[in-house]
Amino acid sequence: MRTLLRILAVLLALPLALLLYLLVFTPRVGGPIAAGAKGNDWEVRSAGGTPYLVVHGVPVSTHFEASERPRQPLDGRWELRIDDDERGLAEGWHREPPGSAGWEVVEVPSTINAAAGPRAGWSGISWFRRSFRADDFDAAHPRALLTFEGVLLRSTVWLNGQRLGAHEGGYTPFSFDVANALRHGEENVIVVRSDSRPTFHGLPPRLGPVYNAGWAEYAGIYRPVFVERLPERHVFKAAARVSRQRDGSALLGLDVLARNERGTAPPLTVQLWSPRGTYENYPVQAAGSEDNVAYYSVEIPIDGPRWWSPGDPALYDVELTLGGGDGHAADRLRFATGLREIRSHGTSLLLNGSPIFLRGISKHEDDPLLGATQTAESIRRDLALVRDMNANYVRTAHYPHDVRTMLAARDMGLLLSEEIPLYQAGNGMGAWLLEERPLLELPLPWFGLHQLAHPDLLANAQRQLIEMIERDRNNPAIILWSVANETFTWQPGSGEVHAWLADVARAFDPTRLVTMAEVTLNVPFADERRHASRGMDVISINTYDGWYFGEASNAADTIERLHRVYPDRPLIVSEFGAGAAPGRSDTDGVWQGGNRVFHDRTYSEEYQAALIEEFLGVAREREWIAGTSPWVFADFYCPWFGGNPVPYTNLKGLLGSDRRPKLAWHRTRAIYGQIRDEGR
């Protein structure tokens, strides 16, 4: 009876909701994609035609791998206090002195609710505090930035009782100018209030009254924290761009932006080291200055280039030296990049002019002990297993991963896609059905374009997309920016939303391709009416034939349906898979009570391996499929799956959470080993 009522409710609600959307809720997407875009505490400006993002009055920086700027790490022992009753603000916890009652010691960076810890499954408000004595003041470096590389999920920061600002989003860095707030020669106190619970217009968005995202709501200051000193004149953006010339040479372009609030813009020297260790100097004069930002541009011809590729991840080191003299310190920075070109031609992906097939895997940042926190050891361990699987591509889902992971993948020759956590926005009806929620929790207020086209959600998506691109723009391993995963795409208006986000990505980086992951349901009427992909360069499809619906043998039909809608573009099968409990066999029979599956499944390693092999066979037989990335690298903690053979664990990993390979890992390794980069 309960099931019948749910079906009737959906049959009545969906037509009414669809009528309202068509008549009333047409999205009005058309705000600036670059210069002129604004939100809470952020805006996009431009200098010399190059856009840049300013958050809390600080230009968002490119990631530089080395510099001569003094840096004071603030990792280590902090204090933690849980605020389940939300009393902290009213009681002024940000003004309490260090060592006061109610706080406990915690290490930063860390995930405070990792699956193997005492707070597994907890989500809410937590406060962090530490005192430190600032390094001696250096008159040559008068500016000071307090930078957090990642705090989950929303945070507010105080320094010495002064509120610096707030940041929405847990996966990209953010900074505050603290030059005037630091106390030299005495203790300084940083306080951070964070909230790990999703909101309806944040990323990842909440989809219903009790909905959780498809991965753990981890919490904590889980990436490094530091104070960095900068000279008055300093570089904040360096954008490399590469083009292949007809004579086989390369042209490395470099656009640089620098803060220059006093005096004439200083000269810039670019020093380029080749993989062979040779180097050249290129002095560059500023092309101009706008709003106290100097802009520079240089194009460097390279004869006999070594092109970055999975088989030869050759890197060119770039050193930038800005000015010096006139009482100013020079600003010297260094980063590595590669000569790499990615483009599409028809249904093919071309890397440096040659077709490439992406032998991939999707991957979360998740570890039973570490949670979302990464260490040098865990990064090496995981990427070594990816490479040993004969993969050449990692889909970093569903958010920007630790920058050290991205650089390590670059150095190992692993191609990457990078995605913002615009996850399932507008698809709350599906979550309501799968989670079997009561009728009164039907998420009509947040369904479809109600949520997807909401201005607050789009502002968050735009800013976090730009933050991701600006951080990682010079990493040659990244070939795809992904603007969404499994979002609402059935109504034509949803195409405008996704096309607008794709244009934001292209405005900040026209050198890479843009995609988003369409979810399919093995329902022809729905699967043939996908509108988001029309604004994408590459089609990505998530399909779970053989697990959440249908049989694995239906995979070809499901994939071909989307290909028929977009027959002129490359297609990546970005998610597919089946749950398998480590060590479980077909002989163990059907597992009763598994979550979110409509048919009884064995959760066996044999079934998972056979399904993966079926999908990889479909991909190898169709030249218009440009790659695959099975879901997922390793089992990970997720509250959705309390009834699984390993409770609260998504068991679709090709490895267990302990990184022990399952049968599917070995089967994928064997098939990938038979595929060359340029063919099947």
Side-chain angles (χ1 to χ4, degrees):
M1 186 65 180
R2 180 182 173 187
T3 301
L4 179 60
L5 288 174
R6 293 177 63 81
I7 292 174
L8 288 173
V10 172
L11 291 176
L12 291 172
L14 280 178
L16 178 60
L18 182 60
L19 180 62
L20 286 172
Y21 298 150
L22 292 175
L23 294 178
V24 180
F25 296 107
T26 301
R28 290 173 175 83
V29 181
I33 59 175
K38 292 183 179 181
N40 291 331
D41 298 323
W42 66 270
E43 64 177 314
V44 178
R45 302 174 186 171
S46 176
T50 299
Y52 63 96
L53 175 66
V54 178
V55 182
H56 304 121
V58 177
V60 170
S61 177
T62 305
H63 178 77
F64 297 105
E65 295 170 67
S67 79
E68 294 184 355
R69 298 170 177 173
R71 176 177 290 190
Q72 182 176 2
L74 296 179
D75 299 342
R77 292 166 64 89
W78 286 57
E79 294 177 281
L80 164 69
R81 190 171 182 180
I82 301 300
D83 190 9
D84 286 332
D85 298 328
E86 301 191 31
R87 298 182 292 117
L89 282 174
E91 296 180 0
W93 290 4
H94 54 289
R95 293 189 296 269
E96 291 184 355
S100 52
W103 298 72
E104 62 183 270
V105 174
V106 66
E107 287 292 315
V108 167
S110 68
T111 302
I112 63 172
N113 56 346
R119 291 192 179 89
W122 175 88
S123 183
I125 297 172
S126 53
W127 292 70
F128 299 84
R129 179 177 69 192
R130 77 156 287 168
S131 62
F132 70 101
R133 188 172 289 268
D135 288 345
D136 290 340
F137 177 77
D138 177 2
H141 296 82
R143 291 189 173 275
L145 295 184
L146 171 62
T147 297
F148 296 83
E149 292 199 354
V151 182
L152 294 165
L153 183 61
R154 297 181 309 283
S155 53
T156 305
V157 181
W158 292 263
L159 177 61
N160 298 325
Q162 174 184 333
R163 185 182 184 275
L164 300 178
H167 186 260
E168 170 77 36
Y171 303 100
T172 46
F174 58 98
S175 300
F176 303 101
D177 188 337
V178 295
N180 295 325
L182 280 175
R183 298 171 180 168
H184 297 278
E186 55 184 294
E187 290 295 308
N188 293 268
V189 179
I190 300 175
V191 177
V192 179
R193 179 187 187 269
S194 70
D195 191 342
S196 61
R197 298 169 299 184
T199 62
F200 288 106
H201 302 134
L203 272 65
R206 187 176 172 186
L207 301 188
V210 290
Y211 173 83
N212 295 312
W215 63 97
E217 290 177 13
Y218 283 136
I221 304 175
Y222 75 114
R223 291 177 182 169
V225 186
F226 55 88
V227 172
E228 185 176 50
R229 301 282 190 170
L230 292 79
E232 189 72 37
R233 300 166 170 175
H234 59 270
V235 171
F236 63 86
K237 176 168 179 172
R241 45 189 167 75
V242 178
S243 58
R244 296 168 61 248
Q245 305 300 296
R246 291 183 178 180
D247 61 2
S249 65
L251 194 64
L252 174 62
L254 195 64
D255 297 313
V256 177
L257 300 182
R259 292 189 74 159
N260 177 54
E261 297 186 8
R262 297 179 185 175
T264 304
L268 175 75
T269 299
V270 178
Q271 199 167 47
L272 181 69
W273 274 265
S274 76
R276 303 176 183 88
T278 59
Y279 66 92
E280 297 286 343
N281 284 321
Y282 299 90
V284 187
Q285 295 296 322
S289 184
E290 296 180 30
D291 193 23
N292 295 319
V293 171
Y295 51 93
Y296 306 77
S297 185
V298 61
E299 293 192 337
I300 302 172
I302 301 175
D303 294 324
R306 280 182 62 182
W307 295 94
W308 188 99
S309 70
D312 183 20
L315 295 174
Y316 287 74
D317 285 329
V318 180
E319 183 171 283
L320 306 174
T321 303
L322 181 70
D326 298 329
H328 294 277
D331 189 29
R332 187 168 287 111
L333 305 154
R334 192 161 181 164
F335 67 92
T337 192
L339 306 181
R340 189 270 300 127
E341 181 191 66
I342 186 71
R343 60 185 180 90
S344 62
H345 179 71
T347 59
S348 295
L349 283 178
L350 302 181
L351 180 70
N352 304 327
S354 299
I356 187 165
F357 183 82
L358 302 180
R359 308 186 304 270
I361 189 71
S362 298
K363 188 180 185 301
H364 265 303
E365 286 189 324
D366 187 277
D367 181 281
L369 297 176
L370 301 172
T373 304
Q374 302 293 290
T375 65
E377 180 183 11
S378 68
I379 291 169
R380 286 194 300 268
R381 174 199 66 190
D382 286 358
L383 292 184
L385 286 164
V386 170
R387 189 168 59 178
D388 194 32
M389 195 176 67
N390 293 315
N392 64 3
Y393 166 70
V394 180
R395 178 182 179 234
T396 57
H398 289 294
Y399 40 79
H401 285 206
D402 192 304
V403 70
R404 295 170 299 168
T405 299
M406 310 302 281
L407 295 176
R410 174 200 70 184
D411 296 345
M412 295 172 66
L414 292 169
L415 295 159
L416 298 166
S417 66
E418 195 168 14
E419 187 169 280
I420 58 171
L422 185 57
Y423 175 84
Q424 294 191 352
N427 274 345
M429 189 71 73
W432 179 81
L433 282 168
L434 287 169
E435 295 179 4
E436 299 182 351
R437 297 298 180 185
L439 181 60
L440 292 178
E441 293 180 2
L442 192 69
L444 282 180
W446 308 287
F447 182 52
L449 293 176
H450 276 287
Q451 183 178 43
L452 180 65
H454 194 282
D456 290 345
L457 183 138
L458 292 181
N460 279 323
Q462 181 179 24
R463 177 182 49 78
Q464 292 184 46
L465 178 60
I466 297 169
E467 287 175 334
M468 176 181 75
I469 292 172
E470 293 292 59
R471 188 192 75 169
D472 292 331
R473 62 165 50 258
N474 293 322
N475 188 334
I478 301 169
I479 57 172
L480 294 168
W481 300 123
S482 178
V483 299
N485 177 78
E486 297 185 353
T487 42
F488 178 85
T489 67
W490 297 344
Q491 186 179 341
S494 66
E496 298 178 36
V497 173
H498 292 88
W500 178 78
L501 282 170
D503 286 342
V504 171
R506 295 183 185 109
F508 276 82
D509 178 21
T511 72
R512 290 176 174 88
L513 303 174
V514 183
T515 190
M516 64 82 59
E518 295 271 19
V519 63
T520 59
L521 303 174
N522 197 19
V523 178
F525 177 82
D527 293 345
E528 292 173 359
R529 286 163 176 80
R530 298 290 176 179
H531 299 283
S533 287
R534 71 171 183 253
M536 304 299 137
D537 303 311
V538 176
I539 309 303
S540 295
I541 175 174
N542 296 353
T543 181
Y544 284 95
D545 296 270
W547 188 249
Y548 291 127
F549 47 76
E551 302 298 331
S553 57
N554 301 136
D557 290 341
T558 301
I559 296 168
E560 285 175 353
R561 273 197 293 272
L562 193 58
H563 171 62
R564 285 196 294 271
V565 179
Y566 301 103
D568 58 341
R569 284 173 245 181
L571 184 148
I572 298 171
V573 190
S574 43
E575 283 188 35
F576 56 96
R584 188 170 173 82
S585 171
D586 282 338
T587 59
D588 295 323
V590 170
W591 176 264
Q592 302 290 339
N595 296 111
R596 305 175 76 86
V597 290
F598 294 129
H599 304 284
D600 293 328
R601 304 293 187 186
T602 64
Y603 287 83
S604 72
E605 289 198 31
E606 293 101 325
Y607 182 78
Q608 181 192 41
L611 183 144
I612 295 291
E613 188 170 14
E614 175 81 22
F615 272 82
L616 294 180
V618 169
R620 294 183 69 180
E621 293 166 0
R622 288 157 178 80
E623 63 180 13
W624 42 266
I625 295 181
T628 56
S629 52
W631 189 262
V632 60
F633 170 70
D635 293 347
F636 61 94
Y637 179 69
C638 181
W640 280 0
F641 300 107
N644 277 2
V646 181
Y648 303 106
T649 303
N650 187 319
L651 293 171
K652 298 184 189 71
L654 303 193
L655 302 100
S657 59
D658 60 1
R659 275 38 179 188
R660 294 183 182 179
K662 301 178 189 177
L663 181 60
W665 184 89
H666 293 287
R667 196 73 57 84
T668 303
R669 181 177 186 267
I671 295 172
Y672 279 174
Q674 299 167 4
I675 302 175
R676 296 180 178 272
D677 285 346
E678 65 274 9
R680 307 299 196 270

